[in-house]
Amino acid sequence: MKYLVFDSKKEASKEAYKILKSLIDENSTLGLATGSTPTALYEEMIADHKAGNFSYKNVKSYNLDEYVGLKPEDEQSYAYFMKEHLFNAKPFAKSFLPNGMAEDADQECERYDKLLEEYHVGLQLLGIGRNGHIGFNEPGSSFDGKTHKVALTQSTINANSRFFDNEEDVPKYAYSMGIGTIMKSDTILLEAFGKNKAEAVKAMIEGPVTPEVPASVLQNHPDVVVIIDEEAASLLK
Ligand code: GLP
């Protein structure tokens, strides 16, 4: 696992975009992440697209996850987030997300896994949760997992409550692409910024590979680039 440390999120995101651009072409399929971490990278993508330097018109994308019970029009849904931060400015050929409003959870997971078979994800973008989760694969998730419905941990609910008016509004469940699927992508680009990610980053890079720290599985992937700022790197040896 290779990691690069930068002074600021802005600088780090510029580098992340350079790496992204070097790895994809107009026909690529991207795995996309939500959260505050990738927003600056998405701004870089939009700026370069607007400048006419890169066309994404044949690019396909799959998102990692979605809250159960939120409609695409709900401002806290990941469908809404993706529109706001990327898709409105730069639509791809096709973009897929789990459907948080699906009536039957098992059928929804099967549907998403079928969709995931259509295109191979060349580059998967990831953030990391404070407890080491990737997507919404919480501690204890199987390393072989496919799409599944997850009961969110209290740590994740607390961390994500900043996007909601009240903590009680944070959904208790989500659909997440599984770790087995994430690991099939050719390259993984994980970004992490800020002091509150330092412990998870240390455990991911220097700790044992264990389901208790889902991101530690990335030590087993042949091509992972971790982009972090000084604060997120502060506990590394
Ligand atoms: C959520 C998402 C993850 C994301 C994590 C970190 O739980 N499901 O994909 O990596 O939060 O979020 P942030 O980037 O806001 O710190």
Side-chain angles (χ1 to χ4, degrees):
M1 192 185 299
K2 172 174 147 187
Y3 69 88
L4 305 168
V5 184
F6 296 87
D7 287 341
S8 67
K9 176 177 170 179
K10 181 98 188 128
E11 227 183 282
S13 304
K14 281 191 188 299
E15 184 59 26
Y17 180 63
K18 270 193 212 152
I19 295 173
L20 177 144
K21 203 174 163 181
S22 73
L23 290 172
I24 68 167
D25 61 33
E26 288 184 14
N27 296 309
S28 295
T29 301
L30 288 172
L32 299 177
T34 49
S36 54
T37 304
T39 50
L41 170 58
Y42 294 156
E43 283 165 19
E44 294 291 326
M45 288 171 78
I46 292 168
D48 206 33
H49 173 71
K50 283 196 174 146
N53 296 331
F54 200 91
S55 161
Y56 291 85
K57 73 173 191 298
N58 293 320
V59 169
K60 278 77 63 188
S61 72
Y62 291 102
N63 262 86
L64 285 167
D65 43 20
E66 179 60 286
Y67 288 114
V68 168
L70 294 192
K71 302 189 194 85
E73 313 81 77
D74 284 330
E75 288 183 18
Q76 287 85 7
S77 75
Y78 285 168
Y80 190 92
F81 175 98
M82 290 310 301
K83 277 197 190 138
E84 284 289 294
H85 291 277
L86 194 60
F87 298 154
N88 281 344
K90 194 181 52 43
F92 296 151
K94 292 183 185 177
S95 292
F96 307 106
L97 279 107
N99 171 12
M101 294 304 289
E103 275 179 20
D104 183 301
D106 290 342
Q107 274 177 20
E108 175 54 17
C109 296
E110 249 175 64
R111 181 192 73 89
Y112 205 57
D113 281 334
K114 276 236 166 67
L115 278 175
L116 280 159
E117 284 169 15
E118 280 186 36
Y119 303 101
H120 177 72
V121 175
L123 176 64
Q124 174 68 56
L125 304 181
L126 291 179
I128 186 170
R130 293 177 201 179
N131 62 3
H133 73 237
I134 47 177
F136 266 134
N137 291 284
E138 295 279 34
S141 299
S142 156
F143 282 174
D144 306 321
K146 293 181 155 194
T147 305
H148 55 294
K149 183 177 168 181
V150 182
L152 300 177
T153 60
Q154 196 54 46
S155 143
T156 299
I157 291 172
N158 293 346
N160 290 0
S161 63
R162 70 191 193 277
F163 298 113
F164 293 80
D165 291 338
N166 303 298
E167 191 175 308
E168 305 84 71
D169 297 340
V170 184
K172 305 289 179 288
Y173 294 90
Y175 292 116
S176 181
M177 197 190 279
I179 291 177
T181 310
I182 292 172
M183 290 292 280
K184 281 191 195 150
S185 55
D186 299 330
T187 304
I188 292 176
L189 185 58
L190 184 147
E191 295 181 294
F193 307 121
K195 242 199 313 247
N196 56 24
K197 298 294 172 73
E199 272 182 35
V201 165
K202 183 181 172 58
M204 163 176 72
I205 296 177
E206 294 176 353
V209 175
T210 163
E212 288 319 305
V213 181
S216 67
V217 73
L218 302 178
Q219 291 179 32
N220 294 340
H221 190 286
D223 192 10
V224 178
V225 184
V226 177
I227 303 254
I228 44 185
D229 64 1
E230 300 278 1
E231 288 187 346
S234 58
L235 296 176
L236 292 174
K237 272 188 205 138

